Amino acid sequence: MTMTITMDGDEGTATGGRINRRSLMRFGAAAAGAIALASCAKENPNREARDGKDKGPYDVAVVGAGYAGITAARELAAKGWRVVVLEARPRIGGRTFTSTFLGRQIELGGSSVHWVQPHVFAEMQRYGFGFEEVPLRDLDKAYVMTADGKVHDVAPERFDIGYNDAFDKFCADAKTLFPQPFAPFSNAEVAKLDIISAAERMAKLDLDPIQRASLNAELVLYAGSSTNTFSYMSYVKMFAAAAWDPYTFTDSEKHWHIARGGTAALAKAILDDSKADVRLGTVVKQVETTAGGVTLRTADGQSIEAKAAIFTLPTQVYPDIEFKPGLSAEKQAFIKNGDLCDGATMYMRIKQNLGNTFTFCDDPNPLSAIQTEESDPEIGTILKATLGRQSLIDINDQDAVNAELRKIHPGVEITDIAPYNWVKDPFSKQAWPAYRAGWFRKYKDMAKPEGRLFFAGSGTADGWHAYIDGAVESGIRACRELTAMLEKETNKNG
Ligand SMILES: Cc1cc2nc3c(=O)[nH]c(=O)nc-3n(C[C@H](O)[C@H](O)[C@H](O)COP(=O)(O)OP(=O)(O)OC[C@H]3O[C@@H](n4cnc5c(N)ncnc54)[C@H](O)[C@@H]3O)c2cc1C
């Protein structure tokens, strides 16, 4: 059965995920939609208390209640500014999305966090969230599907050693290039080398076919495209942020989730801590900057005034908002060219118990990485697949996904799937940020303030830009910039 993932928890109105007609006929409409949105309530719990009290005028309007937006709102409110958060979806969290699948908590967007990610770890510490382990180490089986579709059953120890070796080779110069990963251009060579794609770098390495396929699958996953367009430097920077170490990097990306309610619960804790007025289901359509402030107009006819605004949108969504005056030429160029990501994710339940498995499928095989989340004789196996290029397969088509999986595990039967296609969601239109070769060096163009408008979002972060950590980092930075502007203005006006 294909589970419906909706934006608001209702059945059958999904944007990112969708009911497959055949599975509806087979299992009946009532059976679909079993996913409940664990903690992504339709109403922010604070909204009622805040609405009516705080009708503005506001000091700051924050557009977007993903991790960048909620962090910015919390920080701004802590400084005493009057803040309104305008969020298009009926839930907070943005590209993080805690849900349930067959009664289990799942993360359909950003999921893995780690103590080497300083900003998100600090938030977990602040609100008392620990880590929940996901199976990754002590594999029973490891598989690598090469580009030609051939599947190799690789002994787990050999898989680990080979993969880490490939990784080390790919990122060999990381310490020299990124002595300070959060100041990525402290070595001037980085900007010069940014024209090199991940594929060009790989072509220079001495790797065996399994190593090459594993590394390429990993890179396609990050790129959200084929590796010949993906910025090699941008990937090495994140590796450097994980203490220049392949074990730590893998641990940071695939091994630990947020315990006790997941990303949704942490997001709620951050937003609850703000004094912001939160308006969910509010799609900003137009922004007009005047000498004294900003007017934001929404799809449902609201007009919100503030002294300044922070935008935290995924790059691909900016063209859906009319900016008056328009955004800078640099931003427009980045929006058109800079970000790649065609990614998606899905959970599946397999009847058979496959044990603790990990599989890399090299491009153009669509299921880039497949990881066991749970397995036992009763449940069978719950797998999570992350796709770098969702356009290679219809993730709502259970039969098509099953056919891909049978190439690795002959005869397996998928009984349920829960796909979420971030590219088809109108409020993300992409998955995680991923820079095109030659455009990593320009990511700061997306962060530059323009008059009364300020910009955050994980793609504008210096450190873990493809991560929740980057979103939090960017929210803190944008708050600092905006506060400096407002304080200057307040002092000037007495
Ligand atoms: C499938 C997937 C897997 C990932 N895996 C990981 C992982 O394991 N670990 C990790 O750390 N990160 C991961 N990431 C990345 C991470 O989730 C993101 O980088 C981060 O959540 C982005 O946060 P943000 O606040 O910058 O943007 P978003 O979360 O996208 O927030 C932007 C907000 O703006 C809203 N919005 C859009 N348009 C409008 C409008 N017109 N008006 C008002 N609001 C609007 C959106 O609804 C959204 O809530 C993953 C992402 C995806 C999609």
Side-chain angles (χ1 to χ4, degrees):
M1 166 194 332
T2 307
M3 298 296 188
T4 311
I5 312 293
T6 73
M7 287 205 299
D8 58 6
D10 295 337
E11 285 182 25
T13 55
T15 49
R18 175 168 67 75
I19 295 177
N20 162 317
R21 194 166 153 267
R22 213 163 353 143
S23 59
L24 268 182
M25 284 160 54
R26 206 181 303 150
F27 295 100
I35 287 191
L37 304 185
S39 45
C40 304
K42 285 187 182 184
E43 293 294 326
N44 181 286
N46 297 308
R47 184 181 176 178
E48 212 176 316
R50 289 172 189 147
D51 270 3
K53 259 203 303 192
D54 240 354
K55 289 293 181 198
Y58 296 102
D59 293 312
V60 187
V62 175
V63 182
Y67 268 84
I70 57 174
T71 305
R74 196 261 324 272
E75 296 290 296
L76 287 161
K79 298 242 174 229
W81 304 114
R82 303 187 70 210
V83 181
V84 61
V85 177
L86 308 174
E87 167 54 50
R89 294 183 174 111
R91 63 172 182 89
I92 67 166
R95 279 173 284 171
T96 61
F97 190 0
T98 309
S99 187
T100 57
F101 177 54
L102 305 171
R104 288 149 177 82
Q105 181 177 299
I106 57 168
E107 296 282 4
L108 289 157
S111 53
S112 295
V113 289
H114 204 268
W115 42 93
V116 295
Q117 296 166 346
H119 301 90
V120 71
F121 184 44
E123 297 302 334
M124 290 171 68
Q125 292 277 298
R126 190 193 312 265
Y127 298 106
F129 286 83
F131 292 91
E132 184 177 278
E133 189 169 12
V134 178
L136 175 69
R137 308 293 179 195
D138 304 320
L139 293 174
D140 297 318
K141 286 284 197 180
Y143 302 93
V144 176
M145 188 191 278
T146 39
D148 55 9
K150 206 168 158 209
V151 175
H152 305 260
D153 182 342
V154 187
E157 319 77 61
R158 205 188 123 215
F159 174 77
D160 276 351
I161 292 166
Y163 181 64
N164 287 345
D165 176 57
F167 223 101
D168 262 338
K169 285 178 177 157
F170 186 78
C171 299
D173 305 321
K175 276 190 184 148
T176 316
L177 290 166
F178 296 100
Q180 297 178 61
F182 283 76
F185 301 112
S186 61
N187 179 342
E189 284 302 300
V190 171
K192 289 188 212 151
L193 295 175
D194 186 37
I195 45 163
I196 300 173
S197 71
E200 284 171 90
R201 169 69 182 171
M202 276 190 73
K204 293 205 165 80
L205 305 179
D206 178 22
L207 302 173
D208 69 38
I210 299 297
Q211 288 181 306
R212 195 167 289 284
S214 313
L215 186 59
N216 202 54
E218 160 80 359
L219 292 167
V220 166
L221 199 159
Y222 269 84
S225 78
S226 64
T227 47
N228 55 18
T229 49
F230 182 44
S231 159
Y232 152 56
M233 282 292 110
S234 70
Y235 186 84
V236 177
K237 180 199 68 171
M238 287 187 290
F239 172 80
W244 311 276
D245 176 55
Y247 185 97
T248 310
F249 186 79
T250 301
D251 211 55
S252 73
E253 60 172 354
K254 296 184 176 77
H255 199 188
W256 303 98
H257 288 184
I258 298 171
R260 219 166 42 77
T263 57
L266 178 60
K268 181 176 176 302
I270 296 171
L271 194 61
D272 281 357
D273 208 10
S274 83
K275 308 282 183 298
D277 183 6
V278 181
R279 302 190 192 178
L280 300 179
T282 302
V283 182
V284 173
K285 293 301 281 181
Q286 192 194 64
V287 187
E288 193 170 356
T289 306
T290 58
V294 178
T295 305
L296 299 105
R297 298 188 182 90
T298 68
D300 60 358
Q302 298 178 61
S303 184
I304 295 127
E305 311 277 338
K307 289 180 189 150
I310 296 186
F311 287 84
T312 68
L313 309 179
T315 316
Q316 302 308 315
V317 171
Y318 277 97
D320 297 340
I321 297 184
E322 184 190 2
F323 286 87
K324 292 167 117 181
L327 293 175
S328 67
E330 289 80 11
K331 274 201 183 57
Q332 290 187 44
F334 191 94
I335 289 164
K336 203 161 159 216
N337 303 297
D339 216 340
L340 290 168
C341 201
D342 187 30
T345 193
M346 68 163 69
Y347 282 78
M348 316 164 232
R349 179 194 167 233
I350 316 296
K351 240 185 186 173
Q352 294 76 7
N353 180 3
L354 301 175
N356 185 13
T357 67
F358 189 90
T359 306
F360 271 132
C361 301
D362 193 8
D363 202 38
N365 300 295
L367 309 180
S368 312
I370 311 166
Q371 183 173 358
T372 294
E373 289 256 330
E374 192 180 332
S375 62
D376 66 38
E378 202 182 317
I379 183 74
T381 315
I382 308 267
L383 294 173
K384 181 178 186 180
T386 309
L387 297 80
R389 298 176 66 195
Q390 61 77 32
S391 44
L392 292 171
I393 190 170
D394 176 358
I395 59 172
N396 294 290
D397 184 342
Q398 184 170 318
D399 292 342
V401 176
N402 209 349
E404 280 304 317
L405 209 60
R406 281 189 185 139
K407 292 179 187 168
I408 307 156
H409 308 287
V412 292
E413 192 185 333
I414 300 180
T415 59
D416 308 82
I417 60 173
Y420 199 91
N421 194 332
W422 292 93
V423 180
K424 299 211 166 134
D425 183 322
F427 301 120
S428 52
K429 292 191 169 175
Q430 65 180 95
W432 47 92
Y435 306 125
R436 189 186 293 276
W439 287 85
F440 165 45
R441 64 187 168 198
K442 297 181 184 162
Y443 76 90
K444 272 295 185 203
D445 289 346
M446 286 309 294
K448 271 186 206 143
E450 299 192 12
R452 294 178 173 278
L453 307 186
F454 293 77
F455 297 86
S458 55
T460 70
D462 294 327
W464 293 91
H465 65 267
Y467 284 80
I468 300 165
D469 192 80
V472 176
E473 180 204 316
S474 75
I476 291 170
R477 187 255 312 142
C479 164
R480 189 174 63 239
E481 293 168 346
L482 195 151
T483 295
M485 189 274 267
L486 283 184
E487 280 175 351
K488 205 163 145 199
E489 203 166 79
T490 309
N491 292 340
K492 206 166 87 189
N493 298 336

